[in-house]
């Protein structure tokens, strides 16, 4: 019975996570038209590189880069040095917020299913939700931090050249 609940919850969680990507994109499209979008576009849950490493973001990044997931969002690929980092950062923000919305959506469903079906079912739903929604969002936040550093360096370089330094 326990194994059955775990398998069913995990399978349902995978299905809900795929559905949540669509829900996330739709709700993100609506959120973009509000004044709150600017506030949520600069979220930074984990500022510590060491903590990112401990929870496996580096391994997750490898999986995304070396499996079929690499084909999902081609707009956030950095293919050459002259790429528009501002545009790539914007696409990362879209992806990050869509995944966060998806994560919240599945978390609400998992909470409901924990009450109606069983706690194991709901907890098992959260495993794919974390891997398919939370981790991609955290990865985008890490990548945005790296892009921000590069953009800030470019701004400082341009400012220093303008001042004759």
């Amino acid at each position: 019975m326990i194994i059955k609940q775990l398998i069913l919850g995990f399978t349902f969680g995978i299905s809900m996570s795929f559905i949540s990507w669509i829900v996330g994109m739709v709700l993100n499209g609506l959120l973009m038209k509000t004044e709150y979008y600017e506030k949520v576009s600069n979220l930074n849950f984990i500022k510590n590189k060491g903590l990112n490493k401990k929870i496996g973001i580096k391994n997750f990044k490898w999986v995304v880069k070396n499996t079929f997931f690499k084909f999902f969002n081609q707009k956030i690929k950095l293919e050459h040095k002259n790429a528009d980092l501002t545009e790539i950062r914007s696409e990362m923000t879209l992806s990050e917020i869509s995944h966060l919305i998806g994560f919240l959506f599945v978390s609400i469903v998992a909470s409901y299913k924990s009450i109606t079906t069983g706690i194991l079912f709901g907890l098992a739903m959260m495993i794919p939700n974390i891997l398919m929604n939370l981790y991609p969002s955290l990865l985008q936040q890490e990548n945005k931090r790296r892009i921000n550093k590069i953009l800030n360096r470019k701004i400082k370089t341009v400012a220093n050249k303008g001042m004759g330094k």
Side-chain angles (χ1 to χ4, degrees):
M1 183 67 173
I2 291 174
I3 299 294
K4 183 178 178 183
Q5 287 285 307
L6 289 172
I7 292 170
L8 288 173
F10 186 82
T11 305
F12 190 68
I14 291 171
S15 301
M16 287 303 300
S17 293
F18 278 113
I19 291 168
S20 76
W21 292 350
I22 297 166
V23 171
M25 286 187 281
V26 169
L27 292 179
N28 191 23
L30 296 173
L31 183 64
M32 286 174 68
K33 297 174 183 175
T34 69
E35 62 192 53
Y36 302 108
Y37 190 76
E38 185 63 34
K39 291 177 185 175
V40 296
S41 67
N42 291 307
L43 294 173
N44 197 3
F45 295 134
I46 301 176
K47 296 175 181 153
N48 185 330
K49 278 185 175 183
L51 183 55
N52 266 344
K53 190 174 182 176
K54 284 180 185 175
I55 65 171
I57 294 295
K58 186 176 180 179
N59 296 331
F60 182 77
K61 183 179 185 176
W62 183 91
V63 169
V64 170
K65 287 174 71 175
N66 295 296
T67 64
F68 65 93
F69 289 110
K70 68 183 171 191
F71 300 111
F72 277 16
N73 194 344
Q74 295 293 304
K75 292 181 182 179
I76 58 175
K77 266 185 137 175
L78 189 59
E79 293 183 348
H80 50 83
K81 273 189 160 184
N82 297 331
D84 184 359
L85 294 179
T86 307
E87 181 64 30
I88 291 172
R89 188 189 185 287
S90 177
E91 289 296 329
M92 286 178 173
T93 301
L94 283 170
S95 176
E96 169 197 359
I97 295 172
S98 293
H99 279 292
L100 281 176
I101 292 169
F103 179 75
L104 290 173
F105 173 73
V106 176
S107 296
I108 291 167
V109 174
S111 297
Y112 173 77
K113 293 301 271 180
S114 290
I115 295 166
T116 60
T117 306
I119 192 85
L120 283 177
F121 190 94
L123 289 173
M125 280 183 66
M126 289 303 293
I127 295 168
N129 187 29
I130 289 168
L131 294 173
M132 295 171 72
N133 281 316
L134 183 60
Y135 269 44
S137 186
L138 294 175
L139 178 60
Q140 296 308 340
Q141 287 181 8
E142 181 179 290
N143 289 337
K144 283 180 6 184
R145 283 192 300 272
R146 290 173 43 221
I147 286 178
N148 287 342
K149 284 181 184 177
I150 295 168
L151 290 174
N152 287 336
R153 262 190 259 137
K154 283 185 177 183
I155 291 169
K156 286 179 184 176
T157 302
V158 169
N160 287 339
K161 286 182 180 178
M163 297 171 75
K165 291 185 177 179

